[in-house]
Amino acid sequence: QQPVQSPQAVILREGEDAVINCSSSKALYSVHWYRQKHGEAPVFLMILLKGGEQKGHEKISASFNEKKQQSSLYLTASQLSYSGTYFCGTDRTGSQGNLIFGKGTKLSVKP
Amino acid sequence: DAGVIQSPRHEVTEMGQEVTLRCKPISGHDYLFWYRQTMMRGLELLIYFNNNVPIDDSGMPEDRFSAKMPNASFSTLKIQPSEPRDSAVYFCASSLTSDGTDTQYFGPGTRLTVL
């Protein structure tokens, strides 16, 4: 039931764009995105809810395709500070206690 | 405001020893979560509490693991006896509600190494 993230890793130059995908084999209630910098705690970025509502980061956009059971995180005009590992957490029931995280996508932004 | 506080930040111990990890959630948050993070398995939920009561401990790997929350501002995760395969980063997180639209705030983690 763990969601599958792709790609596993990506290297960008500053200013380039990236898309990170998160797919589930089950119908979802919501998708949560977190970013973790090396040696630090995961930090909340965004929640996407069934029905189209979004809550979170102003400079990062994401989509949630309920039919395909997948979400994509769009990082545009990447900055050095975007480097880190991005995790999606999928929730099937509307409860925090059922959040299951993917293995993460490591993003490295180079000058 | 202080975030989630965890101690110790690093723990190195020998196989067979007891290990106790500590967590102080954000004040006013009713939900507390314990996660374990490894390269192989990623971030896994071990157990979570609501108002100090354990709600779901199905993620606790074995009877060697136990967790308590004696009051709203303190929780412990204990491993007894510890084994090398327990080596991981253990995170504590808290949230205001259990609603799927709410945010979890993670602590800095405890990096556990069992030799």
Side-chain angles (χ1 to χ4, degrees):
Chain A
Q1 294 186 0
Q2 185 176 39
V4 176
Q5 290 187 234
S6 63
Q8 290 185 328
V10 59
I11 299 174
L12 299 174
R13 293 285 179 190
E14 263 187 300
E16 292 182 338
D17 302 339
V19 180
I20 299 172
N21 301 302
C22 174
S23 295
S24 171
S25 59
K26 305 284 186 181
L28 300 175
Y29 177 88
S30 66
V31 178
H32 301 226
W33 286 96
Y34 285 77
R35 177 172 61 206
Q36 183 179 28
K37 292 186 178 288
H38 182 68
E40 299 181 9
V43 174
F44 168 76
L45 291 177
M46 178 170 286
I47 293 175
L48 299 110
L49 305 173
K50 190 175 167 180
E53 185 180 349
Q54 295 186 20
K55 296 167 63 175
H57 207 286
E58 293 180 356
K59 294 187 178 180
I60 292 175
S61 63
S63 64
F64 179 20
N65 187 322
E66 295 169 39
K67 281 188 178 178
K68 292 185 177 179
Q69 295 161 187
Q70 68 181 42
S71 176
S72 296
L73 190 70
Y74 304 98
L75 302 165
T76 57
S78 59
Q79 305 171 18
L80 295 176
S81 62
Y82 286 7
S83 293
T85 300
Y86 289 77
F87 293 95
C88 69
T90 54
D91 161 36
R92 295 175 51 210
T93 64
S95 169
Q96 291 280 346
N98 293 320
L99 204 58
I100 302 174
F101 286 93
K103 290 190 176 179
T105 295
K106 186 173 181 179
L107 178 74
S108 300
V109 182
K110 309 290 185 185
Chain B
D1 288 338
V4 176
I5 298 171
Q6 289 187 247
S7 65
R9 294 293 309 276
H10 301 273
E11 176 81 35
V12 180
T13 190
E14 293 191 346
M15 183 173 65
Q17 296 297 306
E18 176 179 299
V19 175
T20 299
L21 311 181
R22 296 172 177 81
C23 174
K24 177 179 167 54
I26 293 172
S27 178
H29 281 193
D30 290 338
Y31 287 82
L32 183 139
F33 307 83
W34 280 102
Y35 289 90
R36 176 173 68 177
Q37 185 177 43
T38 61
M39 289 296 292
M40 287 294 296
R41 300 171 71 91
L43 202 57
E44 302 173 280
L45 178 65
L46 300 177
I47 184 172
Y48 79 98
F49 294 83
N50 173 25
N51 289 326
N52 316 336
V53 176
I55 301 300
D56 185 353
D57 65 355
S58 59
M60 296 284 262
E62 303 171 33
D63 290 346
R64 298 184 296 106
F65 286 69
S66 62
K68 294 183 180 179
M69 192 164 186
N71 57 62
S73 59
F74 183 66
S75 176
T76 60
L77 178 68
K78 187 175 292 187
I79 308 172
Q80 165 65 16
S82 58
E83 296 183 4
R85 61 194 167 119
D86 301 331
S87 296
V89 180
Y90 291 80
F91 287 103
C92 173
S94 70
S95 68
L96 197 56
T97 73
S98 72
D99 192 293
T101 65
D102 204 348
T103 304
Q104 290 188 26
Y105 295 87
F106 283 77
T110 295
R111 181 173 294 278
L112 173 66
T113 303
V114 183
L115 303 174

